[in-house]
Amino acid sequence: MINTIILSKDGKYIGDNNQLPSRENIPYDKELLKAFCKNQIVSEKGINTLPPSIKKIVKKQSLNDEEITMAITIPEIEKYSDVLLINRSSENLINGKVFRLDNFKCLTKQGYLEIWLKAWLYQALLSRD
């Protein structure tokens, strides 16, 4: 599964008072999320975290995690993402929660966009040579 997430410069996905990382330097982030979510099956927990404009375009919500085609919550993103597009804000968040990338390897970084692969997929690509 391919997913996208916005993280602060210091790797946090949420700060104090549920503050999200700044989108100021990455204005396309919300449109990217919208494109990824269109006609996708999301979890009930996930749909509750989406903005109204994106809630309208998802296909349905599922009680069964195995049916989802787009991960929305942090646990879903960690579990189901094979490829993760990270939009990295230029600002840090004070306090907050860090998104752990322990199970991922960075493939490339260009500006504020980073492409990370699940470690097993990254290793499979390296072993092709």
Side-chain angles (χ1 to χ4, degrees), residues 66-84:
E66 301 305 315
E67 293 178 356
I68 69 170
T69 58
M70 178 65 185
I72 302 295
T73 68
I74 296 302
E76 291 169 357
I77 292 171
E78 289 172 340
K79 181 177 180 181
Y80 296 114
S81 297
D82 296 317
V83 178
L84 186 57

Side-chain angles (χ1 to χ4, degrees), residues 14-27:
I14 196 162
D16 286 344
N17 302 318
N18 293 327
Q19 176 189 5
L20 296 175
S22 170
R23 282 191 166 98
E24 188 173 316
N25 60 309
I26 33 180

Side-chain angles (χ1 to χ4, degrees), residues 67-121:
E67 293 178 356
I68 69 170
T69 58
M70 178 65 185
I72 302 295
T73 68
I74 296 302
E76 291 169 357
I77 292 171
E78 289 172 340
K79 181 177 180 181
Y80 296 114
S81 297
D82 296 317
V83 178
L84 186 57
L85 302 179
I86 297 176
N87 287 304
R88 187 78 65 168
S89 174
S90 61
E91 299 174 12
N92 290 328
L93 283 175
I94 306 299
N95 299 321
K97 297 179 182 176
V98 173
F99 185 83
R100 301 194 52 93
L101 290 162
D102 299 345
N103 295 322
F104 295 87
K105 298 284 184 189
C106 185
L107 183 64
T108 188
K109 295 180 183 185
Q110 176 111 17
Y112 298 108
L113 180 63
E114 303 171 9
I115 301 174
W116 290 71
L117 303 178
K118 260 300 172 47
W120 69 264
L121 180 57

Side-chain angles (χ1 to χ4, degrees), residues 1-6 32-50 54 58 60 62 64-85 99 104 118:
M1 186 180 295
I2 301 173
N3 285 296
T4 182
I5 189 171
I6 185 170
L32 182 64
L33 179 60
K34 199 173 188 178
F36 270 67
C37 286
K38 188 173 183 174
N39 294 322
Q40 298 300 311
I41 301 169
V42 299
S43 69
E44 282 196 69
K45 286 181 183 177
I47 202 163
N48 293 327
T49 66
L50 291 172
I54 297 178
V58 295
K60 70 174 188 173
S62 175
N64 181 356
D65 278 355
E66 301 305 315
E67 293 178 356
I68 69 170
T69 58
M70 178 65 185
I72 302 295
T73 68
I74 296 302
E76 291 169 357
I77 292 171
E78 289 172 340
K79 181 177 180 181
Y80 296 114
S81 297
D82 296 317
V83 178
L84 186 57
L85 302 179
F99 185 83
F104 295 87
K118 260 300 172 47

